Amino acid sequence: MAAPPSAYKDRQFIAVIGDEDSVTGLLLAGIGHVTAPPNAEKNFLVVDAKTETSAIEEAFDSYTHHRKDIAILLINQHIAEKIRGKVDSYTDAFPAVLEIPSKEHPYDPEKDSVLRRVRRLFGE
C-alpha cells in the first residue's frame, strides 16, 4: 500500500551525514540547504575523527524524525556503523535512509541495513 500524499508532499530535500569528501561532493552537486533564521538548520553534517557519536545520533534523529522537509538521508556506511542500532531500527518510508560508500571505506553489502531487510523478506 502506498503512503498517502500527506506523508511526502513537503519532502523536497536530500540530507547527508558523511565524511568531508562525500559532503563536499554532494554540496557541489547542489543538495545544500539552510533553513531560514532564527533556527537555521543545515541538511548536512560533516563527520571527522573529532565528531562524537552523540552528534551523529542527534543529526540522524533530526533528519529522520523532526525535519519534515527531508525525503532522502544519505549516510556513509562507515559512519552508519557508529550508530548501527539507530539505522537498523529505523523503518519509516520517509525519509529513505541509504548507505553510501566513501573514498576511503568501500561499500560492504553485508552491512547495509536495506539489503539485509530485503534478504529477510525473500528468506535468504
Side-chain angles (χ1 to χ4, degrees):
M1 182 167 162
S6 61
Y8 57 81
K9 70 177 184 123
D10 293 329
R11 295 186 182 272
Q12 54 188 345
F13 297 113
I14 297 174
V16 62
I17 300 173
D19 59 20
E20 186 175 11
D21 291 335
S22 299
V23 173
T24 300
L26 289 164
L27 290 175
L28 287 170
I31 71 152
H33 180 261
V34 179
T35 60
N39 297 329
E41 295 180 308
K42 299 180 284 190
N43 65 332
F44 56 91
L45 173 69
V46 177
V47 177
D48 59 18
K50 298 178 201 164
T51 307
E52 295 189 17
T53 304
S54 61
I56 301 168
E57 290 175 340
E58 185 179 312
F60 184 85
D61 288 340
S62 173
Y63 298 149
T64 55
H65 298 300
H66 306 301
R67 300 251 330 241
K68 300 303 178 194
D69 59 348
I70 304 293
I72 299 170
L73 171 59
L74 302 176
I75 184 169
N76 282 134
Q77 192 174 51
H78 73 279
I79 294 169
E81 280 298 310
K82 294 179 180 183
I83 58 167
R84 179 57 62 196
K86 282 190 177 287
V87 173
D88 286 348
S89 65
Y90 181 77
T91 59
D92 293 348
F94 294 102
V97 176
L98 302 175
E99 296 179 27
I100 60 173
S102 69
K103 185 167 72 172
E104 297 180 8
H105 298 88
Y107 177 74
D108 182 0
E110 297 301 319
K111 295 179 180 178
D112 191 316
S113 59
V114 173
L115 284 178
R116 285 199 313 238
R117 275 189 220 129
V118 170
R119 286 187 179 135
R120 276 192 300 234
L121 283 172
F122 289 110
E124 293 180 16

